Amino acid sequence: MAARGEFSFKEISTQAESWRSAIDTTLSSKGELLALISKNAGRRIIFIGCGSTHYLAQYAAPFFQSVTGIICRGVPSSELCFETGSIVAEGETPLIIALSRSGDTSETIMAVEKMRARGSDAITISCYDDTGLSAASCLTVCIPAGREESFAQTRSFAGMLVAVQVLAALVANDSALLDAIQQLPGLATDIIERAKPVTQEIGPNEGFKRITYLGSGALYGLASESTVKMKEMSLSVAEPYHFMEFRHGPMSLLDEEHLIVALLSDNMRDYEIGVLRDLKQRKAYVLVIADRDDGLSDEFDKVFVLGSSLPEKARGVLYLPLVQLLAYYRSMGRGLNPDRPRNVIMAIRLDGTGMKQDEG
């Protein structure tokens, strides 16, 4: 029997394998992917997923649009399936990019099948390729090194994110971005090892009663994913916000029991720092994740420097080890098992309108 948390720790710590697998498998399908994108020229792209992969869609859509210029939107699979008219116009056939660790999530399969019946093409990005979702799609990018024993997504999420990055670089014919993405696996071990003592110190601190993750642009999707990792692994109260939005009401929650985890960008850096100064003045504990320090350590409680020197659009996956380890150590400190979060299963399969009850 595996020790408590063994799977999660290993999967977080070795996720460079998933990043590398994502790069290799996406590049190996370059011709087919570009042909399908070209076939859908002039059409929107809708990224879909459930749970963590919905938050990946929140990252993927603004990221992909900013790199390629193609209009994109990220939505939950269930919304596209059951509220189709609120997502697409009558007669519209956008390209669907479905994100799913297992490829067996019912809502995502149902959404893809519905859109395919309307005339849309679909690409799946997953860790498995012999699945119902793959069967419903035109093409699957499979990342076998992203597969996990734990129920909470860590290395799978990271691998699928990198696959989205590679696909965007290919579509945009951006060789500089692609070169930067290919450097990511080589940075993973250093970032993971440096993140461990920081998260071991902060994660188990029960003085923090509320946790908020902040992100702008595509990084808001990663703030959302960070939130669900903290909730499911450690049963903590956590929320995501856009940086600038946190001033509009949520600041009322701030005190010395409030942990702020800030995913700092380059594009909005000055405004984001302005927000963090306001939060610090109101006694919040502020943990900043940034590619460079530039005086941040003089102002805030803890600064974790990625130190990649890569362009901003390549760096998304580098934020993940710290936020994943933060949730892991908080879970372990509470005596919980992050491998098997309470009430969480590997993939949601529906039985009519309810969830099948035959899974652990």
Side-chain angles (χ1 to χ4, degrees), residues 46-50 53-55 57-58 61 73-81 86-87:
I46 297 181
F47 290 85
I48 62 171
C50 298
T53 51
H54 166 223
Y55 302 128
Q58 288 183 341
R73 185 174 177 186
V75 301
S77 301
S78 56
E79 292 290 299
L80 181 60
C81 185
S86 69
I87 309 297

Side-chain angles (χ1 to χ4, degrees), residues 184-205:
L184 291 170
L187 301 175
T189 298
D190 173 66
I191 287 176
I192 292 166
E193 291 306 310
R194 288 191 294 109
K196 287 176 181 177
V198 175
T199 51
Q200 281 177 304
E201 173 192 347
I202 297 173
N205 187 341

Side-chain angles (χ1 to χ4, degrees), residues 247-315:
R247 286 186 175 124
H248 296 271
M251 281 209 308
S252 63
L253 295 171
L254 291 175
D255 56 26
E256 62 278 359
E257 296 182 336
H258 203 131
L259 170 63
I260 300 291
V261 183
L263 282 60
L264 208 67
S265 71
D266 288 353
N267 190 46
M268 288 185 60
R269 183 184 176 97
D270 290 344
Y271 286 97
E272 292 169 350
I273 292 173
V275 171
L276 296 180
R277 287 171 179 153
D278 290 339
L279 307 191
K280 186 61 187 163
Q281 287 175 2
R282 290 157 178 81
K283 300 183 179 180
Y285 184 101
V286 178
L287 164 60
V288 182
I289 310 173
D291 202 55
R292 61 187 192 279
D293 190 304
D294 288 353
L296 295 173
S297 296
D298 297 331
E299 296 194 65
F300 304 111
D301 298 285
K302 187 74 70 174
V303 177
F304 183 78
V305 177
L306 299 174
S308 74
S309 300
L310 295 178
E312 181 171 23
K313 286 186 170 60
R315 294 198 304 255

Side-chain angles (χ1 to χ4, degrees), residues 155-183:
R155 65 186 284 155
S156 62
F157 184 97
M160 289 184 284
L161 185 154
V162 172
V164 169
Q165 290 182 309
V166 174
L167 178 57
L170 291 175
V171 172
N173 194 27
D174 190 334
S175 58
L177 177 57
L178 186 58
D179 288 344
I181 293 167
Q182 290 176 308
Q183 296 178 49

Side-chain angles (χ1 to χ4, degrees), residues 21-22 25-26 29 124-129 140-145 147:
S21 177
T25 56
T26 308
S29 299
T124 285
I125 298 176
S126 179
C127 298
Y128 298 86
D129 56 3
T140 295
V141 175
C142 177
I143 308 164
R147 295 172 186 171

Side-chain angles (χ1 to χ4, degrees), residues 74-137:
V75 301
S77 301
S78 56
E79 292 290 299
L80 181 60
C81 185
F82 301 117
E83 290 287 345
T84 312
S86 69
I87 309 297
V88 296
E90 184 175 354
E92 184 186 6
T93 54
L95 175 63
I96 307 301
I97 299 184
L99 308 165
S100 174
R101 169 175 59 178
S102 68
D104 284 331
T105 303
S106 293
E107 295 113 294
T108 303
I109 296 172
M110 292 163 67
V112 168
E113 288 176 342
K114 184 170 187 176
M115 294 306 297
R116 293 279 285 143
R118 286 172 55 117
S120 285
D121 289 326
I123 297 169
T124 285
I125 298 176
S126 179
C127 298
Y128 298 86
D129 56 3
D130 186 16
T131 66
L133 185 56
S134 293
S137 301

